[in-house]
Amino acid sequence: AEVPHYTYGHLLMAAYYAGDIDNASEFEKKGYKKIYKNMEFLGIIGDFLMYYAYTDAGKALERYPKFVPWSFNNFTTHLRKFDFAVSAAAMFKKLMKDGTQSAKLPLTKEHPAYHADDTYSLQELFDYHYKIAEDIGSKLDKRNQNTGFIDKLKAKLDRIA
């Protein structure tokens, strides 16, 4: 029963990058409502945040605070945390590239970058997620004796260059 949940998220950015905006929009509409209440889909939610960074920056920034606390949860797997961190870093890179340098976000005090005034530098949030992705990716690559995770991180960020 989870196959469409993952599938919509995986196809979302592929369709968008291929210029198939109609299908990307349809995947977003069908997919988001299947996953937004379930922490199990944290890694896929990152793909939706990336999509919003390209299509609706306000929605990307509005939805990020809802999901980032899930990445602090010890029941979330390293793979999900990695996928979310990669997508969050890419989202912030895209938003900065498009001219947004800071934002007011209602982050919780458990967020390591928390500021009482709720004003955040997107560079600070990019750096935070990049470091998490790099740390987890390096550990998984060491375990797997390859560079697959760090390659994925670099490829996702290079796409925004």
Side-chain angles (χ1 to χ4, degrees):
E2 295 176 359
V3 171
H5 299 61
Y6 286 106
T7 303
Y8 286 126
H10 288 304
L11 292 176
L12 176 64
M13 288 309 296
Y16 183 83
Y17 288 141
D20 189 353
I21 306 305
D22 291 340
N23 268 330
S25 178
E26 191 65 24
F27 295 148
E28 186 278 332
K29 285 182 186 116
K30 289 180 178 177
Y32 183 78
K33 66 184 176 184
K34 291 184 177 294
I35 64 169
Y36 78 98
K37 293 180 182 178
N38 189 335
M39 187 184 317
E40 181 178 331
F41 299 109
L42 178 65
I44 298 297
I45 285 168
D47 291 333
F48 285 83
L49 293 177
M50 264 305 299
Y51 174 77
Y52 302 137
Y54 280 92
T55 62
D56 185 345
K59 191 178 278 187
L61 292 169
E62 172 190 317
R63 291 192 173 169
Y64 168 78
K66 173 186 177 10
F67 300 113
V68 72
W70 292 1
S71 69
F72 308 142
N73 189 304
N74 288 331
F75 298 107
T76 300
T77 68
H78 288 301
L79 182 57
R80 289 179 189 139
K81 289 179 183 184
F82 172 81
D83 285 339
F84 181 80
V86 169
S87 292
M91 175 190 79
F92 287 120
K93 181 177 180 180
K94 171 68 173 134
L95 294 173
M96 287 186 297
K97 180 181 181 218
D98 291 348
T100 303
Q101 300 306 314
S102 65
K104 298 257 314 162
L105 300 170
L107 300 183
T108 63
K109 289 181 181 178
E110 68 183 327
H111 196 296
Y114 173 76
H115 298 288
D117 68 357
D118 288 343
T119 302
Y120 297 90
S121 153
L122 297 196
Q123 183 66 54
E124 178 182 19
L125 295 174
F126 167 84
D127 291 345
Y128 168 74
H129 287 289
Y130 181 86
K131 182 174 180 354
I132 289 173
E134 186 178 50
D135 288 350
I136 294 172
S138 294
K139 288 175 186 170
L140 293 172
D141 283 349
K142 183 177 180 181
R143 179 200 69 188
N144 295 346
Q145 298 180 353
N146 63 33
T147 60
F149 285 94
I150 294 300
D151 291 348
K152 180 179 179 178
L153 170 61
K154 290 178 182 176
K156 200 157 197 175
L157 294 175
D158 287 348
R159 181 167 211 127
I160 298 166

